[in-house]
Coordinates of all heavy atoms in Angstrom, one line a residue:
D382 N -12.1 4.6 -6.6 CA -12.4 4.5 -5.1 C -13.7 3.7 -5.0 O -14.7 4.2 -4.6 CB -12.6 5.9 -4.5 CG -11.3 6.7 -4.5 OD1 -10.3 6.1 -4.1 OD2 -11.4 7.9 -4.9
A383 N -13.6 2.4 -5.4 CA -14.8 1.6 -5.4 C -15.2 1.0 -4.1 O -16.3 0.5 -4.0 CB -14.6 0.4 -6.4
L384 N -14.3 1.1 -3.1 CA -14.7 0.6 -1.8 C -14.8 1.7 -0.8 O -14.2 2.8 -0.9 CB -13.6 -0.4 -1.3 CG -13.5 -1.8 -1.8 CD1 -12.3 -2.5 -1.2 CD2 -14.8 -2.5 -1.6
T385 N -15.6 1.5 0.2 CA -15.8 2.4 1.3 C -15.7 1.7 2.6 O -15.9 0.5 2.7 CB -17.2 3.2 1.1 OG1 -17.4 4.0 2.3 CG2 -18.3 2.2 1.0
R386 N -15.2 2.4 3.6 CA -15.1 1.9 5.0 C -16.3 2.2 5.8 O -16.6 3.4 6.0 CB -13.8 2.4 5.6 CG -13.3 1.6 6.8 CD -11.9 1.9 7.0 NE -11.2 1.0 7.9 CZ -10.0 0.5 7.7 NH1 -9.3 0.8 6.7 NH2 -9.5 -0.3 8.6
V387 N -17.1 1.2 6.1 CA -18.4 1.5 6.7 C -18.3 1.5 8.2 O -19.2 1.9 8.9 CB -19.5 0.5 6.2 CG1 -19.9 0.8 4.8 CG2 -19.1 -0.9 6.4
R388 N -17.2 1.0 8.8 CA -17.0 1.0 10.2 C -15.7 1.6 10.5 O -14.7 1.3 9.9 CB -17.0 -0.5 10.7 CG -18.1 -0.8 11.7 CD -18.3 -2.2 12.0 NE -17.3 -3.2 11.7 CZ -16.3 -3.6 12.4 NH1 -16.0 -2.9 13.5 NH2 -15.5 -4.5 12.0
D389 N -15.7 2.5 11.5 CA -14.4 3.1 12.0 C -13.7 2.1 12.9 O -14.3 1.7 13.9 CB -14.7 4.4 12.7 CG -13.4 5.2 12.8 OD1 -12.4 4.9 12.2 OD2 -13.4 6.2 13.6
T390 N -12.6 1.6 12.6 CA -11.9 0.6 13.4 C -10.6 1.1 14.0 O -10.0 1.9 13.3 CB -11.6 -0.7 12.5 OG1 -10.8 -0.2 11.4 CG2 -12.8 -1.4 12.0
P391 N -10.3 0.6 15.2 CA -9.0 1.1 15.8 C -7.8 0.7 14.9 O -7.9 -0.2 14.1 CB -8.9 0.4 17.1 CG -10.1 -0.4 17.2 CD -10.9 -0.3 16.0
T392 N -6.7 1.5 15.0 CA -5.6 1.2 14.1 C -5.0 -0.2 14.5 O -5.1 -0.7 15.6 CB -4.5 2.3 14.3 OG1 -3.3 1.9 13.6 CG2 -4.1 2.5 15.8
Q393 N -4.6 -0.9 13.4 CA -4.2 -2.3 13.6 C -2.8 -2.6 14.1 O -2.5 -3.7 14.5 CB -4.2 -3.0 12.2 CG -5.6 -3.0 11.5 CD -6.4 -4.2 11.8 OE1 -6.8 -4.3 13.0 NE2 -6.7 -5.0 10.9
T394 N -2.0 -1.5 14.2 CA -0.6 -1.7 14.4 C -0.2 -2.6 15.6 O 0.7 -3.4 15.4 CB 0.1 -0.3 14.7 OG1 -0.7 0.7 14.0 CG2 1.5 -0.3 14.3
K395 N -0.9 -2.6 16.7 CA -0.4 -3.3 17.8 C -1.1 -4.7 18.0 O -0.9 -5.4 19.0 CB -0.6 -2.5 19.1 CG 0.3 -1.3 19.1 CD 0.3 -0.6 20.5 CE 1.4 0.5 20.6 NZ 1.1 1.6 19.6
F396 N -2.0 -5.1 17.1 CA -2.8 -6.3 17.2 C -2.1 -7.5 16.5 O -1.4 -7.3 15.6 CB -4.2 -6.1 16.6 CG -5.0 -5.0 17.3 CD1 -5.9 -4.3 16.6 CD2 -4.8 -4.7 18.7 CE1 -6.6 -3.3 17.2 CE2 -5.6 -3.7 19.3 CZ -6.5 -3.0 18.6
D397 N -2.4 -8.7 17.1 CA -2.0 -9.9 16.4 C -3.0 -10.3 15.3 O -4.0 -9.7 15.2 CB -1.7 -11.0 17.4 CG -3.0 -11.6 18.0 OD1 -4.1 -11.3 17.5 OD2 -2.8 -12.3 19.0
R398 N -2.7 -11.4 14.6 CA -3.5 -11.8 13.5 C -5.0 -11.9 13.8 O -5.8 -11.4 13.1 CB -2.9 -13.1 12.9 CG -3.7 -13.8 11.8 CD -2.9 -15.0 11.4 NE -1.7 -14.7 10.6 CZ -1.7 -14.6 9.3 NH1 -2.8 -14.8 8.6 NH2 -0.6 -14.3 8.7
R399 N -5.3 -12.7 14.8 CA -6.7 -13.0 15.1 C -7.5 -11.7 15.5 O -8.6 -11.5 15.0 CB -6.8 -14.0 16.3 CG -6.3 -15.3 16.0 CD -7.2 -16.1 15.0 NE -6.4 -17.2 14.3 CZ -6.6 -17.6 13.1 NH1 -7.4 -17.0 12.3 NH2 -5.8 -18.5 12.6
V400 N -6.8 -10.9 16.3 CA -7.5 -9.6 16.7 C -7.7 -8.7 15.5 O -8.7 -8.1 15.3 CB -6.7 -8.9 17.8 CG1 -7.4 -7.6 18.3 CG2 -6.6 -9.8 19.0
R401 N -6.7 -8.7 14.6 CA -6.8 -7.9 13.4 C -8.0 -8.3 12.6 O -8.7 -7.5 12.0 CB -5.5 -8.0 12.6 CG -4.4 -7.1 13.1 CD -3.1 -7.5 12.4 NE -2.0 -6.8 12.9 CZ -1.3 -5.8 12.3 NH1 -1.6 -5.4 11.1 NH2 -0.3 -5.3 12.9
Q402 N -8.1 -9.6 12.4 CA -9.2 -10.2 11.6 C -10.6 -9.7 12.2 O -11.5 -9.3 11.4 CB -9.1 -11.7 11.5 CG -8.1 -12.2 10.6 CD -7.8 -13.7 10.7 OE1 -8.3 -14.3 11.7 NE2 -7.1 -14.2 9.7
K403 N -10.7 -9.9 13.5 CA -12.0 -9.5 14.2 C -12.2 -8.0 14.0 O -13.4 -7.6 13.8 CB -11.9 -9.9 15.6 CG -13.1 -10.4 16.2 CD -12.9 -11.0 17.6 CE -14.1 -10.6 18.5 NZ -13.9 -10.8 19.9
N404 N -11.2 -7.3 14.2 CA -11.2 -5.8 14.2 C -11.8 -5.2 12.9 O -12.5 -4.3 12.8 CB -9.8 -5.3 14.4 CG -9.7 -3.8 14.6 OD1 -10.6 -3.2 15.0 ND2 -8.5 -3.3 14.3
V405 N -11.4 -5.9 11.7 CA -11.8 -5.3 10.4 C -13.0 -6.1 9.8 O -13.4 -5.7 8.7 CB -10.7 -5.3 9.4 CG1 -9.6 -4.3 9.8 CG2 -10.1 -6.7 9.2
K406 N -13.6 -7.0 10.6 CA -14.7 -7.8 10.0 C -15.8 -6.9 9.6 O -16.3 -6.1 10.3 CB -15.2 -8.8 11.1 CG -16.0 -10.0 10.5 CD -16.1 -11.1 11.5 CE -17.0 -12.2 11.0 NZ -16.9 -12.7 9.7
N407 N -16.3 -7.1 8.4 CA -17.4 -6.4 7.8 C -17.2 -4.8 7.8 O -18.1 -4.1 7.9 CB -18.7 -6.7 8.5 CG -19.1 -8.1 8.4 OD1 -18.8 -8.8 7.4 ND2 -19.6 -8.7 9.4
A408 N -15.9 -4.4 7.8 CA -15.6 -3.0 7.8 C -15.7 -2.3 6.5 O -15.7 -1.1 6.4 CB -14.3 -2.7 8.4
F409 N -15.8 -3.1 5.4 CA -15.8 -2.5 4.0 C -17.0 -2.9 3.2 O -17.7 -3.9 3.4 CB -14.6 -3.0 3.3 CG -13.3 -2.7 4.0 CD1 -12.7 -3.6 4.8 CD2 -12.7 -1.4 3.9 CE1 -11.5 -3.3 5.5 CE2 -11.6 -1.1 4.6 CZ -11.0 -2.1 5.4
A410 N -17.4 -2.0 2.3 CA -18.5 -2.3 1.4 C -18.2 -1.6 0.0 O -17.3 -0.7 -0.1 CB -19.8 -1.7 1.9
L411 N -18.9 -2.1 -1.0 CA -18.7 -1.5 -2.3 C -19.4 -0.2 -2.3 O -20.5 0.0 -1.8 CB -19.4 -2.5 -3.3 CG -19.0 -2.4 -4.8 CD1 -17.5 -2.7 -4.9 CD2 -19.8 -3.4 -5.6
S412 N -18.7 0.9 -2.9 CA -19.3 2.2 -2.9 C -20.6 2.1 -3.8 O -20.6 1.4 -4.8 CB -18.4 3.2 -3.6 OG -17.2 3.2 -2.9
K413 N -21.6 2.9 -3.5 CA -22.8 2.9 -4.3 C -22.5 3.4 -5.7 O -22.9 2.8 -6.7 CB -23.8 3.8 -3.7 CG -24.5 3.2 -2.4 CD -25.7 3.9 -2.0 CE -26.3 3.2 -0.7 NZ -25.5 3.6 0.5
K414 N -21.7 4.5 -5.8 CA -21.3 5.0 -7.1 C -20.0 4.3 -7.5 O -18.9 4.8 -7.1 CB -21.1 6.5 -7.1 CG -22.4 7.2 -7.2 CD -22.1 8.7 -7.4 CE -22.7 9.5 -6.2 NZ -22.1 10.8 -6.1
N415 N -20.0 3.2 -8.2 CA -18.8 2.6 -8.7 C -19.0 2.2 -10.1 O -20.2 1.8 -10.4 CB -18.3 1.5 -7.8 CG -19.0 0.2 -8.0 OD1 -18.8 -0.5 -8.9 ND2 -20.0 0.0 -7.1
S416 N -18.0 2.2 -10.9 CA -18.2 1.8 -12.3 C -17.5 0.5 -12.6 O -17.1 0.2 -13.7 CB -17.6 2.9 -13.2 OG -16.3 3.2 -12.8
L417 N -17.3 -0.4 -11.6 CA -16.7 -1.6 -11.8 C -17.6 -2.6 -12.6 O -18.8 -2.5 -12.5 CB -16.3 -2.3 -10.5 CG -15.3 -1.7 -9.5 CD1 -15.1 -2.6 -8.3 CD2 -14.0 -1.4 -10.2
N418 N -16.9 -3.4 -13.4 CA -17.6 -4.4 -14.1 C -17.2 -5.7 -13.5 O -16.1 -5.9 -13.0 CB -17.1 -4.4 -15.6 CG -17.8 -5.4 -16.5 OD1 -17.7 -6.6 -16.3 ND2 -18.6 -4.9 -17.4
I419 N -18.1 -6.6 -13.4 CA -18.0 -7.9 -12.7 C -16.7 -8.7 -13.2 O -16.1 -9.5 -12.4 CB -19.3 -8.7 -12.8 CG1 -19.4 -9.6 -11.6 CG2 -19.4 -9.6 -14.0 CD1 -20.1 -8.9 -10.4
K420 N -16.4 -8.5 -14.4 CA -15.2 -9.2 -15.0 C -13.9 -8.5 -14.8 O -12.8 -9.1 -15.2 CB -15.4 -9.5 -16.5 CG -16.5 -10.5 -16.7 CD -16.5 -11.0 -18.1 CE -17.6 -12.1 -18.3 NZ -18.3 -12.0 -19.6
D421 N -13.9 -7.3 -14.2 CA -12.7 -6.5 -14.1 C -11.6 -7.3 -13.3 O -12.0 -8.0 -12.3 CB -12.9 -5.2 -13.4 CG -13.6 -4.2 -14.4 OD1 -13.4 -4.4 -15.6 OD2 -14.3 -3.3 -13.9
K422 N -10.4 -7.1 -13.6 CA -9.3 -7.5 -12.8 C -9.1 -6.3 -11.8 O -8.8 -5.2 -12.2 CB -8.0 -7.7 -13.6 CG -6.7 -7.9 -12.8 CD -5.5 -8.0 -13.6 CE -4.2 -8.0 -12.9 NZ -3.0 -7.9 -13.7
I423 N -9.3 -6.6 -10.5 CA -9.2 -5.6 -9.5 C -7.9 -5.8 -8.6 O -7.7 -7.0 -8.2 CB -10.4 -5.6 -8.5 CG1 -11.7 -5.3 -9.4 CG2 -10.3 -4.7 -7.4 CD1 -13.0 -5.6 -8.7
V424 N -7.1 -4.8 -8.5 CA -5.9 -4.9 -7.6 C -6.1 -3.9 -6.4 O -6.1 -2.7 -6.6 CB -4.6 -4.6 -8.4 CG1 -3.4 -4.8 -7.4 CG2 -4.5 -5.5 -9.6
L425 N -6.2 -4.5 -5.2 CA -6.4 -3.7 -4.0 C -5.0 -3.1 -3.7 O -4.0 -3.8 -3.8 CB -6.9 -4.5 -2.9 CG -8.3 -5.0 -3.0 CD1 -8.6 -6.2 -2.0 CD2 -9.3 -3.9 -2.8
I426 N -5.0 -1.8 -3.4 CA -3.7 -1.1 -3.1 C -3.7 -0.7 -1.6 O -4.6 0.0 -1.2 CB -3.5 0.1 -4.0 CG1 -3.6 -0.3 -5.5 CG2 -2.2 0.8 -3.7 CD1 -2.5 -1.1 -6.0
D427 N -2.6 -1.0 -0.9 CA -2.4 -0.6 0.4 C -0.9 -0.2 0.6 O -0.1 -0.6 -0.2 CB -2.8 -1.6 1.4 CG -3.3 -1.0 2.8 OD1 -3.2 0.2 2.9 OD2 -3.8 -1.7 3.6
D428 N -0.6 0.5 1.7 CA 0.8 0.8 1.9 C 1.6 -0.4 2.3 O 2.7 -0.6 1.8 CB 1.0 2.0 2.9 CG 0.3 1.8 4.2 OD1 -0.6 0.8 4.3 OD2 0.5 2.5 5.2
V429 N 1.1 -1.2 3.3 CA 1.9 -2.3 3.7 C 1.0 -3.6 3.8 O -0.2 -3.5 4.0 CB 2.5 -2.1 5.1 CG1 3.6 -1.0 5.0 CG2 1.5 -1.9 6.2
Y430 N 1.6 -4.7 3.7 CA 1.0 -6.0 3.9 C 1.6 -6.5 5.2 O 2.8 -6.8 5.4 CB 1.4 -7.0 2.8 CG 0.6 -8.3 2.9 CD1 -0.4 -8.6 2.0 CD2 0.9 -9.3 3.8 CE1 -1.1 -9.8 2.1 CE2 0.2 -10.5 3.9 CZ -0.8 -10.7 3.0 OH -1.5 -11.9 3.1
T431 N 0.7 -6.7 6.2 CA 1.2 -7.3 7.5 C 0.7 -8.7 7.7 O 1.3 -9.7 7.4 CB 0.9 -6.3 8.7 OG1 1.2 -5.0 8.3 CG2 1.6 -6.7 9.9
T432 N -0.6 -8.8 8.1 CA -1.2 -10.2 8.2 C -2.1 -10.4 7.0 O -2.6 -11.5 6.8 CB -2.0 -10.3 9.5 OG1 -3.1 -9.4 9.5 CG2 -1.1 -10.1 10.7
G433 N -2.4 -9.3 6.3 CA -3.3 -9.4 5.2 C -4.8 -9.3 5.6 O -5.7 -9.5 4.8
A434 N -5.1 -9.1 6.9 CA -6.4 -9.1 7.4 C -7.3 -8.1 6.7 O -8.4 -8.3 6.3 CB -6.4 -8.9 8.9
T435 N -6.7 -6.9 6.6 CA -7.5 -5.8 6.0 C -7.8 -6.0 4.5 O -8.9 -5.9 4.0 CB -6.7 -4.4 6.1 OG1 -6.5 -4.2 7.5 CG2 -7.4 -3.3 5.5
L436 N -6.7 -6.5 3.8 CA -6.8 -6.7 2.4 C -7.8 -7.9 2.1 O -8.6 -7.9 1.1 CB -5.5 -7.0 1.8 CG -4.6 -5.8 1.7 CD1 -3.1 -6.1 1.6 CD2 -5.0 -4.9 0.5
N437 N -7.8 -8.9 3.0 CA -8.7 -10.0 2.9 C -10.1 -9.6 3.1 O -11.0 -10.1 2.4 CB -8.3 -11.0 4.0 CG -8.3 -12.4 3.5 OD1 -8.2 -12.6 2.3 ND2 -8.3 -13.4 4.4

Side-chain angles (χ1 to χ4, degrees):
D382 291 316
L384 282 179
T385 173
R386 200 161 190 136
V387 289
R388 239 169 16 85
D389 195 12
T390 53
T392 178
Q393 299 272 65
T394 331
K395 294 194 170 63
F396 298 149
D397 69 15
R398 174 177 286 267
R399 294 288 160 214
V400 180
R401 279 169 188 252
Q402 283 171 343
K403 217 170 145 198
N404 189 25
V405 291
K406 199 164 171 51
N407 300 325
F409 302 97
L411 202 59
S412 305
K413 286 196 180 76
K414 279 190 241 160
N415 77 77
S416 52
L417 295 185
N418 184 296
I419 210 85
K420 288 192 178 143
D421 283 337
K422 172 185 170 187
I423 295 166
V424 183
L425 292 165
I426 303 292
D427 208 355
D428 53 348
V429 297
Y430 187 106
T431 310
T432 63
T435 302
L436 289 157
N437 224 16

